[in-house]
Amino acid sequence: MDNSLPVFRVVAAGRGWDWIVQGFELFKRNPGIWVAITVIWILLNMAASITGAGALAAPLFAPVLLGGMLIGCARLVRDQELEINHLFAGFKQPFLPLLGVGLGLLVAQWAVALIAGMLALTFGAGTFLSGATLSGSASEAAIAASVLAGLGVGILVVILVALLLYGVVLMAFTFAPALAVLGNVAPIAAIQSSFKAAWANWRPLTIAGLIALPLCIIAAIPLMLGYLVLIPVLIGASYAAYRDIYPELPEQLAEDTP
């Protein structure tokens, strides 16, 4: 397991479109298996959301399942067969690095929630205290307007801060699962490198995101069935982005080890 930060490159903004196209090409190589994998993945997430423990554990194992699907993408690129059990390939070697990435994701999400919650409490308490100070010198309507305005500003600030922090988390984990499962990079180094690579390549990643947004809306129209295609396409696109940004990093799969 390599603890050093792998070398990445900065690519043109237009590559964001190319990644989506490459993701669709990977889907077309075995659409039936991809749809089956997606259905199982959705059912697992639904089952996890039923219980509180499952919902808490979902971020922990999300990179593990994603790592398995990335292995499937790598197999397709090598002209090998995609199998349903590739969804669970991340639970085999290298399971621990992917679990480490999942632990980092879990901690990061809880940190964002904690910071947002503390900000909300601070703004809420401050707003009501300011309203209390006006109680003796202003009408009830003026006090209510002041409190509502303060709450509105507070909510807006909390939302903006949460989005900013979640954007940082997203960049830190954009390539981390792929680096851990395909690049043999240690979890902390994978998270650090992912953030740096995503920050440096924000232009193509933004283009890919802007393309994916309307696709998500379209996929939701036919009873959400479009996501059975869109999800594997986006996973394939993430694999294409990883290989494009880390072209010199050798791809190592557990099955390659004698």
Side-chain angles (χ1 to χ4, degrees):
M1 188 62 57
D2 191 356
N3 287 285
S4 61
L5 298 186
V7 177
F8 63 86
R9 67 173 183 169
V10 179
V11 300
R15 295 298 295 164
W17 165 255
D18 296 333
W19 298 337
I20 301 292
V21 172
Q22 291 174 43
F24 185 64
E25 291 298 324
L26 286 176
F27 172 77
K28 290 196 302 181
R29 294 192 184 187
N30 204 328
I33 298 298
W34 271 124
V35 169
I37 288 175
T38 304
V39 169
I40 296 172
W41 179 78
I42 292 174
L43 291 175
L44 288 174
N45 280 277
M46 291 176 61
S49 65
I50 294 175
T51 63
L56 291 175
L60 184 63
F61 292 101
V64 181
L65 294 174
L66 177 58
M69 290 185 278
L70 291 172
I71 290 174
C73 292
R75 290 300 180 193
L76 285 174
V77 170
R78 298 184 182 190
D79 293 324
Q80 298 175 354
E81 290 295 325
L82 175 69
E83 300 176 359
I84 292 178
N85 60 11
H86 276 132
L87 176 62
F88 306 103
F91 287 94
K92 303 176 182 178
Q93 184 183 359
F95 169 68
L96 290 180
L98 283 172
L99 191 65
V101 172
L103 181 60
L105 177 60
L106 182 63
V107 171
Q109 289 185 346
W110 273 101
V112 171
L114 179 62
I115 293 172
M118 292 176 64
L119 281 175
L121 288 174
T122 301
F123 276 107
T127 299
F128 283 108
L129 285 175
S130 65
T133 59
L134 294 173
S135 59
S137 59
S139 65
E140 292 184 0
I143 294 172
S146 175
V147 170
L148 288 176
L151 286 176
V153 172
I155 291 172
L156 180 60
V157 171
V158 170
I159 291 175
L160 290 176
V161 170
L163 288 175
L164 177 62
L165 292 176
Y166 192 75
V168 173
V169 172
L170 186 62
M171 288 191 293
F173 291 91
T174 296
F175 302 112
L179 287 167
V181 73
L182 301 176
N184 197 35
V185 179
I188 294 178
I191 294 170
Q192 291 176 330
S193 180
S194 175
F195 176 79
K196 292 183 177 181
W199 180 266
N201 286 278
W202 67 270
R203 292 177 181 84
L205 288 171
T206 300
I207 294 296
L210 291 175
I211 295 171
L213 182 59
L215 293 179
C216 289
I217 298 173
I218 295 171
I221 294 174
L223 300 175
M224 311 292 284
L225 294 177
Y227 280 98
L228 298 180
V229 175
L230 183 59
I231 288 174
V233 167
L234 294 181
I235 291 170
S238 69
Y239 172 80
Y242 164 72
R243 291 311 308 159
D244 196 16
I245 291 175
Y246 292 91
E248 299 180 4
L249 186 63
E251 195 170 75
Q252 305 175 44
L253 302 181
E255 295 90 336
D256 298 334
T257 304

